[in-house]
Amino acid sequence: MNAAKKGIITKEMRDVLASESIDEKTLLQKMSEGKIVIPANKNHKSLRGIAVGEGMRTKVNVNLGVSEDSYDLDLEFEKVKKALEYKADAIMDLSIYGATKDFRRDLVEYSDVMLGTVPMYDAVAKYGKNIKDMTVDDLFEVVEEHAKNGIDFVTIHAGLNQVCAERVDNNPRLTKVVSRGGAILYEWMKLNNKENPFYEHYDRLLDICVEHDVTLSLGDGLRPGSIKDATDAPQIQELLFLGELTKKAWARDVQVMIEGPGHVPLHEIAANMQLEKKLCHGAPFYVLGPLVTDIAPGYDHITSAIGGALAAASGADFLCYVTPAEHLRLPDLDDMKEGIIASRIAAHAGDIAKQIPGAIEWDNAMSKARGELNWDKMFELCIDPVKAKAYRKSSQPIDGETCTMCGDLCPIKRTKDLA
């Protein structure tokens, strides 16, 4: 952000200029205003600059990481490789157990996309203390360790302060607090009768971000965990504080993203996007889904893609993927692929609606190939060519130019030469 204000084009900015339809002057201006961020820790040497924000392609994040109940670091690193293969734009390591630092270092060395973490999770794993007994220094030391390790953006639930906690207590929810990081801080505040350390000592957090060039992803600790709780007083109260914290970060040239709700009924999604952009001054918005119904365990990649498409069309800049395993277990490789592809479809659908330059041209190229019954070109343009080819191969038509849906009655074949 500081470089943008000075008119300096960094290596990461050049990466963005080469991959997005934006000119140098506009990129500098929007980065200076905080409307576009390029998360790029100076210690992440393998990074390819990727921009999130106004006028950029909607980006997709993949969550992974181990827990005590499912601890297989080799499998998680295989997920890292697959996430990059399936063209994720970001990876978040949400590990809450074991050799987190070693895994994080390997991730930084290997990945060329931006990396995020939630240091609060690691504080629990690192110190092995009861939540009540963690000190303010404990929490900030973990944030600093992640910054030194090369993490590009950190999710910090700094807006969940005592006022917000009171809103939770006075406004009953079906699902009280569903954010892991938010719940840890809520518990810490309650047990110690103290203010959220990240809110009270926010300047200390900004000092770390400035030193290591870390983007602050202001977490929504009170995001709704059910559509009944969406857009309620606790969620909006926290969002108001996030808007204030955004301005304080910008005053220090710290880049900011705002995290948004996870469960929102379809008719409230556009309003949620507008509220965030208004209350947080145009900062990039990162949504966790959102899921548009609560009844579909095993299919939540679909409920998420429906919400994600509308969110992206309404202004969301960054979608966190959701897999079929959501609410059920840690996802495996197949779950991860389903989640990434579903979120990428949602992001692209949103980009078409936002008229992001170049978005609809991909669809037009596919339509042209279909109109020519050019199967090789269709597969080349598929978001998942492996699956498309497998379906085609599994049911071969008599006439190789058509498919087994219509066969000889293929309307494109019967009409393309009549004009």
Side-chain angles (χ1 to χ4, degrees):
M1 191 175 192
N2 182 265
K5 288 179 179 179
K6 294 177 179 178
I8 298 170
I9 298 295
T10 66
K11 178 264 180 190
E12 290 78 16
M13 290 183 200
R14 288 195 294 271
D15 291 340
V16 171
L17 290 168
S19 62
E20 301 270 4
S21 297
I22 188 171
D23 61 81
E24 185 177 300
K25 180 181 178 181
T26 304
L27 179 63
L28 289 171
Q29 179 179 341
K30 290 188 176 182
M31 289 190 69
S32 299
E33 296 169 349
K35 294 179 180 177
I36 292 176
V37 301
I38 305 177
N41 188 314
K42 65 183 182 181
N43 299 317
H44 188 179
K45 306 301 184 184
S46 63
L47 180 70
R48 166 173 49 90
I50 297 172
V52 179
E54 187 177 293
M56 303 291 93
R57 289 183 299 101
T58 306
K59 303 306 189 297
V60 171
N61 172 67
V62 168
N63 289 339
L64 44 80
V66 294
S67 68
E68 185 175 3
D69 294 314
S70 184
Y71 188 76
D72 186 339
L73 290 175
D74 290 338
L75 175 60
E76 292 310 296
F77 210 81
E78 190 63 29
K79 289 180 184 177
V80 172
K81 296 175 181 178
K82 289 296 182 183
L84 298 178
E85 179 185 333
Y86 300 141
K87 300 182 180 179
D89 301 292
I91 295 172
M92 288 195 77
D93 172 25
L94 306 186
S95 294
I96 57 173
Y97 181 78
T100 57
K101 187 175 182 179
D102 293 341
F103 181 73
R104 198 161 51 245
R105 284 176 167 171
D106 290 343
L107 186 57
V108 169
E109 184 177 344
Y110 184 83
S111 173
D112 68 339
V113 303
M114 54 184 167
L115 301 172
T117 59
V118 185
M120 178 59 77
Y121 297 172
D122 199 31
V124 177
K126 179 182 177 70
Y127 296 113
K129 294 182 179 180
N130 291 328
I131 289 172
K132 179 181 185 298
D133 297 329
M134 286 193 292
T135 67
V136 173
D137 286 340
D138 286 341
L139 301 180
F140 278 96
E141 283 170 10
V142 173
V143 175
E144 188 158 21
E145 180 178 285
H146 284 222
K148 288 178 177 177
N149 291 162
I151 296 302
D152 304 298
F153 64 97
V154 290
T155 294
I156 305 288
H157 302 87
L160 203 178
N161 57 18
Q162 292 278 21
V163 173
C164 292
E166 185 179 342
R167 293 289 181 275
V168 175
D169 298 339
N170 295 335
N171 293 271
R173 287 175 148 192
L174 289 179
T175 51
K176 193 170 183 178
V177 179
V178 299
S179 160
R180 278 188 299 195
I184 294 168
L185 280 169
Y186 178 84
E187 182 179 352
W188 189 93
M189 288 190 291
K190 287 290 182 182
L191 294 176
N192 290 292
N193 194 27
K194 292 182 179 180
E195 184 56 275
N196 178 347
F198 295 119
Y199 182 78
E200 185 175 6
H201 306 286
Y202 190 60
D203 284 334
R204 183 174 176 181
L205 177 63
L206 296 179
D207 288 342
I208 296 171
C209 293
V210 169
E211 181 179 357
H212 301 281
D213 205 355
V214 174
T215 297
L216 199 52
S217 184
L218 289 173
D220 52 338
L222 299 182
R223 67 177 181 267
S226 63
I227 60 171
K228 174 67 168 61
D229 296 339
T231 328
D232 66 354
Q235 177 195 333
I236 303 305
Q237 179 68 77
E238 185 181 25
L239 189 61
L240 288 165
F241 283 115
L242 296 185
E244 294 176 3
L245 295 175
T246 296
K247 282 192 169 182
K248 290 182 179 181
W250 285 349
R252 298 283 304 278
D253 291 338
V254 173
Q255 297 185 115
V256 174
M257 298 186 289
I258 305 296
E259 291 191 7
H263 294 243
V264 183
L266 207 58
H267 63 286
E268 294 183 14
I269 288 177
N272 268 264
M273 303 306 110
Q274 292 162 4
L275 272 172
E276 185 279 336
K277 289 291 184 177
K278 180 71 174 179
L279 296 178
C280 296
H281 323 294
F285 200 18
Y286 171 31
V287 294
L288 310 175
L291 281 67
V292 296
T293 178
D294 299 329
I295 64 164
Y299 298 90
D300 277 332
H301 60 309
I302 296 174
T303 61
S304 169
I306 294 168
L310 184 53
S314 304
D317 306 289
F318 198 8
L319 305 182
C320 186
Y321 92 145
V322 173
T323 77
E326 185 77 9
H327 302 113
L328 300 171
R329 62 169 170 80
L330 203 68
D332 63 19
L333 288 169
D334 290 335
D335 298 326
M336 191 185 75
K337 178 180 179 181
E338 292 296 314
I340 294 173
I341 298 299
S343 290
R344 285 188 59 208
I345 292 169
H348 180 68
D351 287 348
I352 293 171
K354 286 187 287 194
Q355 299 183 31
I356 298 296
I360 201 169
E361 280 72 19
W362 185 4
D363 298 76
N364 292 343
M366 175 65 86
S367 296
K368 183 175 184 294
R370 283 186 176 142
E372 297 170 350
L373 292 173
N374 184 341
W375 291 96
D376 289 339
K377 189 65 176 177
M378 282 187 261
F379 293 140
E380 179 186 325
L381 292 165
C382 281
I383 197 165
D384 182 5
V386 173
K387 188 170 186 177
K389 289 177 181 178
Y391 270 81
R392 170 81 171 158
K393 187 177 180 180
S394 70
S395 182
Q396 290 291 307
I398 297 171
D399 181 347
E401 193 177 18
T402 66
C403 77
T404 55
M405 175 69 77
C406 298
D408 189 52
L409 292 179
C410 173
I412 292 177
K413 178 185 176 182
R414 298 184 76 88
T415 59
K416 72 175 184 175
D417 296 327
L418 293 178

